[in-house]
Amino acid sequence: MTPGPTEIPERVREALARPIANPDVNPAFLDTYRSLTADLAAVYSTEKDIVVLGGEGVLGLETAVASTIESGDRVLCVANGLYGEYFAEFVASQDGDPVLCSFPADEPIDPNAVREAIEKAARDGEAFAAATFVHCETPTGTINDLETVLGHCREAGVLTIVDAVSSLGGAPVPMDETDLCIGASQKCFSAPPGLTTLAVSEAAWERIEATDARGLYTDLEPWRDIETTGEFPYTHLVSNCYGLAEAVSMLREEGLADVFERHEASAKRCRELGAEIGLDTDAEEPLCSPTVTAFEVDSALAIQGVLHEEHDILVGTGLADRENDLLRIGHMGYNADVEHVERTMDALEDVLDGSDDWDTGF
Amino acid sequence: MTPGPTEIPERVREALARPIANPDVNPAFLDTYRSLTADLAAVYSTEKDIVVLGGEGVLGLETAVASTIESGDRVLCVANGLYGEYFAEFVASQDGDPVLCSFPADEPIDPNAVREAIEKAARDGEAFAAATFVHCETPTGTINDLETVLGHCREAGVLTIVDAVSSLGGAPVPMDETDLCIGASQKCFSAPPGLTTLAVSEAAWERIEATDARGLYTDLEPWRDIETTGEFPYTHLVSNCYGLAEAVSMLREEGLADVFERHEASAKRCRELGAEIGLDTDAEEPLCSPTVTAFEVDSALAIQGVLHEEHDILVGTGLADRENDLLRIGHMGYNADVEHVERTMDALEDVLDGSDDWDTGF
C-alpha cells in the first residue's frame, strides 16, 4: 500500500513470464508496441502520439526536458511540492536556466501568479521556453487542477511539460493544453517499474526536431515515426511491454470511468477512516489525490516499521525533511480497493492504539 | 537463434513473475541487488565494483561515456566493425571529440597501431582522455583479443571503455586493464532486455567524480556507494532484477568454465556444419566469436524469412549495408547448445537446398 511501485496482479505477472518475440527482428513486436500505445492513448484520453521508453519514470521526465531544452533556455518550474522543485534539477542538468515559481505545499497553484510570471519574463525579454508542472505531488498526496494554468501557457506560446507519473491511469490527466505528459508503468498501471510513457503534442515534436539534444537514450527525436519504421533506437524491453500491455488491457476492460471511480472511492474511504482515528491529511480537499493520501503523524518511520512487521502491510513515509511527519497510503492501481484500504486503516488504528508500547515513545 | 535477445529459460521467466518487494521502501530489495552484483562480479571475474542500471545495453554504453567524457575530451574509438564505430556517436553526443582508429572488419585490431596513435596524440599535446573498444563485434561475429592493446592504454594513462554486451556471460571478458566494461541482460544471460551491467575500476570512479556529467539517468556518480546507502537515483527495475539474478544463478550453478566451453562447442559445431554446406564465416579463426557466427550468403533476408516461416527458427541478418550479405546465428546464453545449433543448421541446409523455388531467385 505504498505510493508505488504497486502490487502487480497475477495476470500482469503471467504476461511478464511469456516467451518473447525478438523485438529487433520479429515484426510481431511492432504489433505489440502499436497496440500498447493505442491502449495508452485511451488511458491518456488523447489523440496525441504516445511513446513508450525503456526505463523508469525518471527517464521519462528527463527525456521530456532533454529533448526540448537547450543550453541557456529559461524554464518556469511551477511547484507546490518536492517533485515540482525536482524539475529544476532536470532543467539545470541540461544546462537550461530553471526559474522556480513556488507555492506552499498545502496551497493550490495560482494560475494568475503563473501567468504574471510568464508575462513579466516576456516583457523583460527573457521569455520562457517551457514550463513544468506536477499533476499529482506524490510526496504530499496533492493533486493539482492544471487546466487553467496550462491554458495560460498555451496562450503565451510556452511549451508545457506535465509529470503525471502517479496519476495517469488512476485519474483523468490534463491533456488539451499539455505538450508532454509523462507516466510510468509501476504506479496506477500496477505493472513493474521499467517503462515510462509520454504523450507528445505536434508542437512538442516540432520543438524536439529543432532541439539539438545531447544524449541518445534521453532523446525523443528517433521515436517520432517509430510506429511506421519500427526502427527502435535500442532493443525494447519486450517482457516489460507484455506486462504493461496486459495491465492497460485490464484498465480498459474495467472501463476508465469505473477505474477512476474506484480510485476516488478508495481515497475517500481512506480519508474517512483516517478522520475517525484523528488523523489529518496534509492536503486539503479538493487537493486530496485519488491515488495517494498523506496523513500528518509523529514518528512515521516507527509506524511504518510496526505496520510492516506486525501486519505485513507496507506503506510510505514522508520524503526529505518531512520523512518522519507524514504517513502515505497508496491507493493506486491494483491497490485502489476499498477493502485493501479498510484493512490497512484497521491495522493502522491498531498500531496507533498500541503506540505506548513502542520503543520510540510515540 | 538470433544474436540476442536470446530465448528466456523457464526458470528466468518464472522469476519475472514473482510478486515484488517495493525497491524504494522494502530493505529486501537492497539484499537482492547486492546478491546480484556479487554474482555478476563472479561472471566478470573481477573484484571491481559492479553496477546494474535500469535500461537496455545502449544505456550502459552511453552511461560509460557520459559519466567520464567532458566537452572537448578527445577519445580514441578503436573499431574493426560497426559497433566500434558507433562508439564515436556516443562520444560526439556528449560533445566529446571522437577519433576513429579503424581496422578492416575481417582483420584483428593491431595493438601497435593503437599504441602509436596514443603516443602521437600525446606528443602533439592532444592526449586521449579515453579509448573505446568492442570485445565482440556482434554484426560480424568477431571477437577481439584486447589484453595487449588495453595494456598499452593503461601504460599511457588512457581510460578504457569496453563493450562486452554480446560476450559477457558467454566468454571470458578482458578485465585487468579495463576501466569500464559493459554487459546487458538479454545476450548471454538470457534474461529479458532491460538491465545493463557495468564493471567499474577505481580509476574510473575517480574520473566519474571529477567529470561534470550532463544528464541524470546516464550518470554513474550516484551509484558509487549504492550498496551502502541503498539510495537508488530512481525506482529500480525490480522484476527485471529478479529475472537477471535467476539467470546469473543458473550460470554459476553450471560453472563458468562449463558455460564458456558450451559456447565454444556450439560455435565450433556451427562453423563445422556451415563448412559442410559450403558456407564461409565472415570472421577468420581465431577471431570467430563463441557467441555468434556470421556466414557469408547471398539473399540473407530471404533465407531468414524462409527459415522463420517454414522451420519456426529465427536468425539474424547482417546490419546496415551488409544486411543481405550475412546470416548470423546466435549461439549465446540459453541458445548456446549443440543440439539447437544442429537443428538450426539442418534447417538452413534444407532452406538453401530449396532455394531454387524462392520468389527472390536466390
Side-chain angles (χ1 to χ4, degrees):
Chain A
M1 299 297 286
T2 63
T6 47
E7 200 174 334
I8 307 174
E10 194 173 353
R11 264 178 69 181
V12 174
R13 292 193 280 106
E14 283 170 2
L16 291 170
R18 274 184 217 144
I20 62 169
N22 186 315
D24 300 335
V25 180
N26 193 329
F29 177 72
L30 187 55
D31 295 336
T32 299
Y33 182 83
R34 283 188 188 125
S35 152
L36 173 58
T37 59
D39 276 349
L40 283 166
V43 177
Y44 271 103
S45 189
T46 189
E47 295 186 357
K48 291 171 184 164
D49 288 345
I50 306 295
V51 170
V52 180
L53 301 180
E56 200 266 338
V58 165
L59 175 69
L61 298 170
E62 179 165 359
T63 298
V65 173
S67 303
T68 56
I69 302 303
E70 286 188 335
S71 191
D73 278 351
R74 280 166 57 84
V75 178
L76 187 69
C77 299
V78 180
N80 61 344
L82 272 183
Y83 285 5
E85 291 168 13
Y86 285 171
F87 253 126
E89 293 180 30
F90 289 111
V91 173
S93 81
Q94 298 300 322
D95 298 342
D97 181 9
V99 177
L100 263 179
C101 178
S102 285
F103 302 90
D106 50 359
E107 287 182 20
I109 288 163
D110 176 2
N112 288 326
V114 174
R115 186 177 54 189
E116 281 163 22
I118 290 171
E119 288 172 353
K120 182 176 183 310
R123 279 197 307 272
D124 294 349
E126 297 184 318
F128 292 112
T132 66
F133 300 89
V134 174
H135 187 220
C136 176
E137 266 288 350
T138 336
T140 52
T142 302
I143 198 152
N144 289 308
D145 180 355
L146 296 174
E147 292 293 350
T148 307
V149 71
L150 289 168
H152 292 336
C153 292
R154 166 64 53 92
E155 282 162 25
V158 174
L159 195 88
T160 56
I161 301 174
V162 175
D163 169 353
V165 164
S166 66
S167 55
L168 180 70
V173 294
M175 284 308 302
D176 288 352
E177 316 286 353
T178 300
D179 292 304
L180 287 149
C181 186
I182 301 106
S185 54
Q186 79 271 23
K187 300 288 188 178
C188 300
F189 293 111
S190 291
L195 295 175
T196 179
T197 66
L198 295 100
V200 187
S201 74
E202 191 54 36
W205 282 125
E206 285 165 21
R207 179 74 67 87
I208 289 160
E209 297 209 333
T211 300
D212 188 19
R214 189 162 161 180
L216 304 170
Y217 210 82
T218 53
D219 186 8
L220 273 174
E221 195 169 349
W223 296 82
R224 179 157 196 179
D225 298 316
I226 209 77
E227 297 196 23
T228 313
T229 66
E231 290 177 358
F232 295 93
Y234 46 78
T235 301
H236 215 309
L237 278 53
V238 49
S239 297
N240 299 69
C241 286
Y242 291 164
L244 183 57
E246 189 70 23
V248 182
S249 291
M250 287 171 69
L251 295 193
R252 297 205 65 193
E253 286 168 23
E254 182 178 353
L256 277 177
D258 288 351
V259 169
F260 297 158
E261 170 55 33
R262 174 164 56 78
H263 281 80
E264 277 294 356
S266 305
K268 185 159 170 279
R269 190 72 183 128
C270 190
R271 294 193 296 270
E272 279 171 6
L273 291 171
E276 281 179 20
I277 55 175
L279 293 176
D280 289 330
T281 56
D282 191 58
E284 304 282 326
E285 291 190 70
L287 289 181
C288 294
S289 171
T291 60
V292 50
T293 297
F295 290 117
E296 294 172 350
V297 296
D298 301 319
S299 308
L301 288 164
I303 301 171
Q304 180 193 45
V306 179
L307 254 178
H308 194 201
E309 201 166 307
E310 294 189 359
H311 296 270
D312 201 26
I313 294 174
L314 191 59
V315 301
T317 64
L319 296 185
D321 59 0
R322 302 190 74 189
E323 186 177 29
N324 217 14
D325 304 335
L326 294 177
L327 198 74
R328 296 185 299 150
I329 316 291
H331 29 78
M332 51 176 73
Y334 186 66
N335 297 342
D337 178 289
V338 168
E339 276 182 38
H340 287 199
V341 167
E342 288 174 347
R343 205 153 53 228
T344 304
M345 296 304 289
D346 279 354
L348 178 58
E349 181 176 10
D350 189 65
V351 170
L352 292 174
D353 282 347
S355 62
D356 290 343
D357 304 330
W358 299 352
D359 288 343
T360 54
F362 174 83
Chain B
M1 300 297 286
T2 63
T6 48
E7 200 174 334
I8 307 174
E10 195 172 352
R11 264 178 69 180
V12 174
R13 291 192 281 107
E14 283 170 1
L16 291 171
R18 274 183 217 145
I20 62 169
N22 185 315
D24 299 336
V25 180
N26 193 328
F29 178 72
L30 187 55
D31 294 336
T32 300
Y33 183 83
R34 283 188 188 124
S35 151
L36 172 59
T37 58
D39 276 349
L40 282 166
V43 177
Y44 271 102
S45 189
T46 189
E47 294 185 358
K48 291 172 184 165
D49 289 344
I50 306 295
V51 170
V52 180
L53 301 179
E56 200 266 339
V58 165
L59 175 69
L61 298 171
E62 179 164 358
T63 297
V65 172
S67 302
T68 55
I69 302 302
E70 286 189 335
S71 192
D73 278 352
R74 281 165 58 84
V75 178
L76 186 69
C77 299
V78 180
N80 60 345
L82 271 182
Y83 285 6
E85 291 168 13
Y86 285 171
F87 253 126
E89 292 179 28
F90 290 112
V91 172
S93 81
Q94 298 301 321
D95 298 341
D97 181 9
V99 177
L100 263 179
C101 178
S102 285
F103 301 91
D106 50 359
E107 287 182 19
I109 288 163
D110 176 3
N112 289 327
V114 174
R115 186 176 56 189
E116 280 163 23
I118 289 171
E119 288 173 354
K120 182 177 183 310
R123 279 196 307 272
D124 294 350
E126 298 184 318
F128 292 112
T132 65
F133 300 88
V134 174
H135 187 219
C136 175
E137 267 287 349
T138 335
T140 52
T142 302
I143 198 150
N144 288 308
D145 180 355
L146 297 174
E147 292 293 351
T148 308
V149 71
L150 289 167
H152 292 335
C153 292
R154 166 64 55 92
E155 282 161 25
V158 174
L159 194 87
T160 55
I161 302 175
V162 174
D163 169 354
V165 164
S166 66
S167 56
L168 180 70
V173 294
M175 284 306 303
D176 288 352
E177 317 285 354
T178 301
D179 291 304
L180 287 149
C181 185
I182 302 107
S185 53
Q186 79 271 21
K187 300 288 189 180
C188 300
F189 294 111
S190 292
L195 295 175
T196 180
T197 66
L198 295 100
V200 186
S201 75
E202 191 53 36
W205 282 126
E206 284 165 21
R207 179 73 67 87
I208 289 161
E209 297 208 333
T211 301
D212 187 18
R214 189 161 161 182
L216 304 169
Y217 209 83
T218 52
D219 186 8
L220 274 174
E221 194 168 349
W223 295 81
R224 177 155 197 179
D225 299 315
I226 210 78
E227 296 195 24
T228 314
T229 65
E231 290 177 358
F232 295 93
Y234 47 78
T235 302
H236 216 309
L237 277 54
V238 49
S239 296
N240 298 71
C241 286
Y242 292 165
L244 183 57
E246 189 69 25
V248 182
S249 291
M250 287 171 69
L251 294 193
R252 297 205 66 192
E253 286 167 24
E254 182 178 353
L256 277 178
D258 288 351
V259 169
F260 296 159
E261 169 55 33
R262 174 164 56 78
H263 281 79
E264 277 294 356
S266 305
K268 185 160 168 281
R269 190 73 182 128
C270 191
R271 294 193 296 270
E272 279 169 5
L273 291 171
E276 282 179 19
I277 56 174
L279 293 176
D280 289 329
T281 57
D282 192 55
E284 303 283 325
E285 291 189 70
L287 289 181
C288 293
S289 171
T291 60
V292 50
T293 298
F295 290 116
E296 294 172 349
V297 296
D298 299 320
S299 309
L301 288 164
I303 300 172
Q304 180 193 45
V306 178
L307 253 178
H308 194 202
E309 201 166 308
E310 294 188 359
H311 296 270
D312 202 25
I313 295 174
L314 192 58
V315 300
T317 64
L319 297 185
D321 60 0
R322 301 189 75 189
E323 187 177 27
N324 218 14
D325 304 335
L326 293 177
L327 198 74
R328 294 185 300 150
I329 315 292
H331 30 77
M332 51 175 73
Y334 186 67
N335 297 340
D337 178 289
V338 168
E339 276 182 39
H340 287 199
V341 167
E342 288 174 347
R343 206 153 53 228
T344 304
M345 296 303 289
D346 279 353
L348 177 58
E349 181 177 9
D350 189 64
V351 170
L352 293 174
D353 282 347
S355 63
D356 290 342
D357 304 330
W358 300 353
D359 288 343
T360 53
F362 173 80

